[in-house]
């Protein structure tokens, strides 16, 4: 204890000499050090920052006040790069929603495309193990460090035997991206769902669904012509078709009806959000005179959307909602 006090005194003497502080300034510096020390002690004893420090952080715009992110400079660097980059340009990346206005920056134009949650899950499950046609043709091993017992784990066993990869919160995937940076955005529940819808309504110009990609491109051509002019023509070009066919996940299998039903219940928040997005997207299509419908290519790799049309109830064990699931 005595040695610690000596080091503190020595430190203050050095600071005073370096800063050439007056006696009054010296007292202020000492008080500041004591305040920060007490704040640090409170933080460790109470498992979090004291209210005063949180208010200061909120006032200064530190996003970790709400977001729970430790690497704030990285986030701010991203915001600065997006805000200060030469206009116009597109930035495409897997980024959870960021509110630029909280930092006094202009909000970018947000657009996104999501897909049926179970289709996304199944595709990702097999992609992590076997990759796509490009890796297949080039004899590349996807996820080299994966053990064989995990790589060849039957997807039905994964779902029905509650493996972590096929259970909450691992299947809670789409909503967190729209919910944002708050720690509660990672918890499957009503709060994250409503926050995601709120951000969708207030901050996104367009969120389409992959099952109607051609209509998404048509709307983007109208809403952002500077960026998406002739996007539909590119989509239908032979070059794109060749590239698109190479990205199809290989060795994909459709889970059993029993596994699909369990998975659907685990992803009920995801489907709530997906159906909300689809309704909003169809409303926007009608405003532009586009008919609703599906334009998904490679349908043999897709799971039928019947499950989100005839949703099962928690009390009813009837399997009629799985009718034509393999179409």
């Amino acid at each position: 204890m005595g040695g610690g006090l000596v080091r503190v005194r020595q430190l203050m003497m050095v600071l005073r000499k370096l800063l050439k502080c007056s006696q009054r300034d010296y007292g202020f510096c000492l008080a500041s050090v004591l305040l920060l020390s007490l704040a640090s002690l409170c933080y460790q004893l109470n498992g979090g920052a004291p209210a005063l420090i949180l208010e200061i952080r909120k006032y200064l715009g530190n996003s970790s006040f709400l977001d729970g992110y430790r690497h704030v400079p990285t986030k701010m660097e991203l915001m600065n790069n997006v805000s200060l980059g030469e206009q116009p340009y597109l930035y495409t990346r897997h980024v959870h929603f960021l509110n630029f206005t909280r930092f006094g920056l202009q909000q970018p134009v947000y657009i996104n495309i999501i897909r049926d949650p179970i289709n996304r899950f199944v595709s990702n499950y097999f992609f992590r193990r076997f990759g796509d046609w490009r890796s297949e043709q080039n004899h590349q091993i996807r996820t080299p460090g994966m053990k064989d017992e995990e790589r060849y784990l039957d997807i039905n066993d994964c779902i029905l035997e509650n493996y972590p990869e096929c259970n909450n919160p691992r299947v809670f995937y789409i909503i967190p991206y729209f919910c944002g940076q708050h720690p509660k955005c990672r918890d499957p529940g009503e709060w994250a769902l409503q926050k995601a819808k709120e951000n969708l309504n207030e901050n996104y110009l367009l969120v389409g669904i992959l099952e109607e990609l051609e209509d998404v491109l048509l709307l983007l051509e109208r809403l952002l012509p500077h960026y998406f002019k002739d996007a539909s023509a590119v989509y239908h070009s032979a070059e794109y078709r060749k590239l698109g066919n190479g990205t199809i996940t290989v060795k994909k299998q459709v889970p059993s009806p029993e596994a699909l039903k369990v998975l659907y219940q685990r992803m009920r928040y995801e489907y709530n959000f997906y159906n909300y997005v689809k309704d909003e997207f169809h409303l926007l299509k009608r405003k532009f005179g586009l008919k609703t419908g599906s334009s998904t290519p490679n349908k043999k790799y897709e799971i039928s959307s019947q499950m989100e049309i005839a949703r099962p109830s928690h009390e009813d064990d009837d399997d009629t909602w799985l009718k034509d699931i393999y179409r």
Side-chain angles (χ1 to χ4, degrees):
M1 184 66 178
L5 289 175
V6 171
R7 286 193 293 271
V8 170
R9 290 171 181 169
Q10 291 176 343
L11 176 61
M12 293 306 301
M13 290 177 63
V14 172
L15 289 174
R16 183 179 180 186
K17 182 179 296 185
L18 290 175
L19 299 176
K20 297 181 179 179
C21 295
S22 66
Q23 191 68 29
R24 180 179 179 181
D25 293 333
Y26 174 76
F28 177 77
C29 292
L30 180 60
S32 300
V33 171
L34 292 176
L35 176 61
L36 291 175
S37 300
L38 290 174
S40 177
L41 179 61
C42 291
Y43 191 101
Q44 298 178 48
L45 291 177
N46 297 301
L52 175 61
I53 301 300
L54 289 177
E55 289 299 321
I56 294 175
R57 288 164 61 183
K58 181 179 180 181
Y59 175 77
L60 294 176
N62 187 333
S63 62
S64 60
F65 168 72
L66 289 176
D67 302 343
Y69 266 49
R70 294 183 178 181
H71 304 293
V72 178
T74 302
K75 184 187 303 181
M76 289 303 297
E77 181 180 356
L78 170 61
M79 286 185 160
N80 288 330
N81 290 339
V82 172
S83 300
L84 302 178
E86 184 178 352
Q87 304 292 334
Y89 72 95
L90 289 171
Y91 182 87
T92 171
R93 204 64 184 167
H94 292 292
V95 176
H96 290 225
F97 173 75
L98 289 167
N99 189 349
F100 282 59
T101 60
R102 287 184 53 215
F103 301 87
L105 301 174
Q106 184 177 359
Q107 191 85 309
V109 176
Y110 276 103
I111 59 175
N112 211 325
I113 303 176
I114 66 174
R115 67 187 297 188
D116 179 278
I118 289 182
N119 285 336
R120 187 215 65 79
F121 170 80
V122 173
S123 181
N124 181 69
Y125 183 90
F126 289 99
F127 180 79
R128 287 185 63 245
R129 288 159 169 78
F130 308 110
D132 54 27
W133 285 111
R134 295 172 300 180
S135 56
E136 181 84 355
Q137 292 173 351
N138 295 325
H139 305 288
Q140 296 176 342
I141 298 177
R142 187 70 185 180
T143 319
M146 182 179 290
K147 297 181 179 179
D148 285 348
E149 54 265 32
E150 180 182 0
R151 188 181 305 277
Y152 296 100
L153 174 64
D154 186 275
I155 191 171
N156 296 304
D157 293 338
C158 182
I159 296 170
L160 297 176
E161 296 180 17
N162 298 321
Y163 280 77
E165 183 179 0
C166 301
N167 206 340
N168 288 330
R170 294 293 296 274
V171 297
F172 188 69
Y173 179 87
I174 301 174
I175 289 176
Y177 278 103
F178 289 85
C179 179
Q181 306 291 319
H182 197 289
K184 291 175 66 175
C185 289
R186 280 58 170 177
D187 296 331
E190 193 67 25
W191 189 94
L193 171 64
Q194 295 306 319
K195 187 63 177 179
K197 291 180 179 179
E198 178 184 320
N199 285 333
L200 171 73
N201 295 332
E202 297 180 359
N203 298 287
Y204 284 80
L205 176 66
L206 170 68
V207 178
I209 57 174
L210 185 64
E211 291 77 15
E212 300 175 31
L213 179 57
E214 292 186 46
D215 291 338
V216 176
L217 297 177
L218 288 173
L219 287 177
L220 287 174
E221 285 182 341
R222 300 187 187 187
L223 293 171
L224 297 170
H226 187 81
Y227 296 90
F228 293 98
K229 181 182 179 181
D230 299 327
S232 298
V234 174
Y235 175 75
H236 288 287
S237 66
E239 292 80 6
Y240 172 82
R241 290 297 182 186
K242 182 179 179 180
L243 177 63
N245 289 336
T247 62
I248 298 174
T249 302
V250 297
K251 300 184 181 180
K252 189 189 299 184
Q253 301 174 8
V254 178
S256 67
E258 181 184 8
L260 284 171
K261 186 172 182 180
V262 171
L263 191 59
Y264 180 85
Q265 294 294 344
R266 291 176 184 170
M267 305 180 80
R268 59 189 179 276
Y269 292 111
E270 294 278 275
Y271 269 102
N272 186 306
F273 183 72
Y274 172 78
N275 289 319
Y276 182 82
V277 169
K278 184 163 62 173
D279 290 342
E280 293 296 310
F281 179 63
H282 287 172
L283 178 61
L284 184 61
K285 284 172 58 175
R286 288 194 294 269
K287 290 181 178 179
F288 280 87
L290 298 177
K291 295 181 179 180
T292 60
S294 176
S295 57
T296 306
N298 306 313
K299 288 188 177 181
K300 68 177 181 178
Y301 293 101
E302 301 295 325
I303 300 172
S304 170
S305 60
Q306 179 73 18
M307 62 187 66
E308 79 253 20
I309 298 174
R311 305 182 183 98
S313 64
H314 293 282
E315 299 80 17
D316 188 3
D317 290 329
D318 186 9
D319 289 336
T320 57
W321 68 281
L322 287 169
K323 181 181 179 181
D324 298 328
I325 195 69
Y326 294 105
R327 282 188 177 179

